[in-house]
Every structure is written in structure tokens, then in C-alpha cells.
Amino acid sequence: MKLREYQEQDQDDVIALWTRCGLVVPQNNPVKDIQRKLQVDRDLFLVGFMPQGIVATVMGGYDGHRGWINYLAVDPSEQRNGYGRILMSAIETLLEAKGCPKINLQVRSSNSDIIGFYVALGYGDDNVVGLGKRLEYDA
């Protein structure tokens, strides 16, 4: 797998990947999420590709205080090949280069497999409650 920054022509393939990975939910329109990301730190939106096409993504963010990870996805047919680790290492390196001191991410509490993945990478429970307020409804 090779990595590169997201390009506009990737949109349909990326959304199809996210759908296969169960990341597309009614309250988040993936087209709008991509458009929003491209307005801020587009260099933190990476895709992993192979001859058959895009097989992985990660979307990072940095607000000057904390880094964030969103839309980490590896095609179900390519999982357990180390691609998630490769993406996380790449996005961590990019965030660190921007001066980011700490990365946060949110995982659905029911997703124990991915929680185990992040723990193996050194992420831990910060003993905080994630709260959110939607300012725009995509659905």
C-alpha cells in the first residue's frame, strides 16, 4: 500500500470505502465531511492505495491545541495487514510536524476491536466523557 494526500477524484471511492467499513451514518453526510476537510489542513487527509484502488483512509486535524483522528478506514478485505498502523504512523508524523502535542480520537464504545487496535498503538482512555453539539444537520 502506498500513501498520498486525498485528491478530488477520490471522492466516490473514499465514500464507498467508508460505507463498506460502516463509517457512514445518517447524521454525517460524507460529501459534506470531505468538503469541510478540504477547507482546513487538507494535507492531513490521506488515502492508501493499491493497484485495485483506494483501500484505506485517515483524516487528521489540528486546532493548535490538540490533534484529532477521524475516518480511519481499511477495507475489510485488507484488514489485519498492518495498513491501519501505517496510516496512523503517517498521520501522527504529520501532526507532530505541525507542533501537535497530543492526539485525541473518539470511538463508539461498542467497537471493542478498534479500541484494542488503538490501545496497541499506545492510545489510552483519558477518563473523559465526549460531548457534542451539532450545529448543522446533514441528514
Side-chain angles (χ1 to χ4, degrees):
M1 180 184 75
K2 295 186 180 189
L3 299 182
R4 64 168 166 76
E5 288 182 24
Y6 172 90
Q7 299 170 358
E8 279 79 1
Q9 66 266 24
D10 297 334
Q11 179 176 289
D12 291 342
D13 292 336
V14 165
I15 292 171
L17 170 66
W18 291 349
T19 301
R20 288 192 303 278
C21 292
L23 298 179
V24 175
V25 293
Q27 65 269 24
N28 292 99
N29 179 316
V31 173
K32 286 186 176 183
D33 282 350
I34 290 170
Q35 290 170 347
R36 290 173 183 130
K37 178 62 205 161
L38 296 179
Q39 299 302 309
V40 181
D41 289 332
R42 69 184 300 139
D43 61 312
L44 297 178
F45 189 2
L46 303 177
V47 298
F49 64 97
M50 297 173 67
Q52 69 266 32
I54 293 174
V55 297
T57 66
V58 67
M59 187 186 286
Y62 181 50
D63 62 15
H65 178 65
R66 294 286 184 253
W68 286 91
I69 303 294
N70 296 291
Y71 283 111
L72 176 66
V74 176
D75 194 284
S77 68
E78 298 295 338
Q79 291 177 1
R80 304 213 179 269
N81 288 323
Y83 300 148
R85 287 180 180 272
I86 292 168
L87 282 166
M88 288 300 293
S89 177
I91 202 69
E92 288 172 359
T93 297
L94 291 171
L95 286 165
E96 189 173 22
K98 289 181 179 281
C100 177
K102 181 178 186 289
I103 299 172
N104 291 337
L105 54 88
Q106 295 179 322
V107 178
R108 290 182 183 97
S109 58
S110 61
N111 196 343
S112 59
D113 288 343
I114 196 67
I115 292 170
F117 166 79
Y118 285 120
V119 167
L121 294 181
Y123 289 79
D125 185 346
D126 283 341
N127 295 312
V128 297
V129 174
L131 302 174
K133 178 179 181 182
R134 187 154 274 297
L135 300 176
E136 180 179 336
Y137 291 89
D138 292 346

